[in-house]
Amino acid sequence: RYTNTADGGEVYLFLVYSQHNRKVAHPPEICYLGGGVSIIENVHGPIKVEYKNLTIPANRLKLLRQNFEHISFYWFKIGERFTANYWGQQILIALNAIRGSTAGNALIRISADVVNGDQEKAIKNVKSFTNSITPALFQYLP
């Protein structure tokens, strides 16, 4: 859990990474549903970041557990590329293997609680944090 000291916004960062195992990560929907969380909305939610002027293709989930709302964005990183699609990730991993590349693969999930019904604030917190950490994703997740 990370807290922005300027405005108190909190986000949660989850990373799953492997250099060699393509089966290391699956779509988070599987775990959410298995944990009793309802997926209220599942849409494509790209995130624009300043680093390399990128737009990260991401999935945006609106989650509900009892009366508790949560917003979660996730995507996959394969080498230097991002994809929001699990099967696209698997294809990129296979293509890299055919080319002899040792690019690793990762699932990146950043989420935030919806506080006082302010979903836009939760989305803003996730996008701001994503913008901040994107350079590190390239540095530490080859």
Side-chain angles (χ1 to χ4, degrees):
R1 181 176 76 176
Y2 296 88
T3 303
N4 181 332
T5 55
D7 67 5
E10 291 184 342
V11 297
Y12 303 90
L13 170 65
F14 299 90
L15 294 172
V16 179
Y17 173 80
S18 176
Q19 184 67 36
H20 304 290
N21 183 356
R22 71 173 181 80
K23 297 178 184 178
V24 72
H26 54 266
E29 291 93 332
I30 294 168
C31 293
Y32 283 131
L33 292 172
V37 175
S38 298
I39 299 172
I40 304 304
E41 185 177 59
N42 183 348
V43 297
H44 188 68
I47 302 172
K48 293 184 182 198
V49 296
E50 294 169 8
Y51 185 74
K52 296 184 179 184
N53 200 28
L54 289 172
T55 297
I56 298 173
N59 297 297
R60 186 183 80 214
L61 306 173
K62 182 177 180 181
L63 308 166
L64 182 65
R65 184 173 195 156
Q66 297 166 344
N67 291 328
F68 181 72
E69 286 186 35
H70 197 76
I71 297 293
S72 180
F73 284 76
Y74 76 89
W75 63 94
F76 301 94
K77 182 177 183 294
I78 307 86
E80 295 289 313
R81 297 186 61 186
F82 293 120
T83 181
N85 184 285
Y86 173 77
W87 294 111
Q89 171 218 26
Q90 293 296 304
I91 290 168
L92 287 171
I93 292 168
L95 289 173
N96 281 340
I98 290 168
R99 294 180 190 133
S101 172
T102 59
N105 66 91
L107 164 68
I108 300 150
R109 181 175 54 139
I110 303 173
S111 56
D113 297 332
V114 176
V115 179
N116 298 323
D118 193 349
Q119 178 177 312
E120 291 307 312
K121 172 84 167 126
I123 292 170
K124 179 180 170 258
N125 288 344
V126 169
K127 288 183 175 184
S128 175
F129 183 76
T130 301
N131 187 58
S132 297
I133 68 159
T134 299
L137 296 178
F138 283 93
Q139 181 179 356
Y140 295 107
L141 299 177

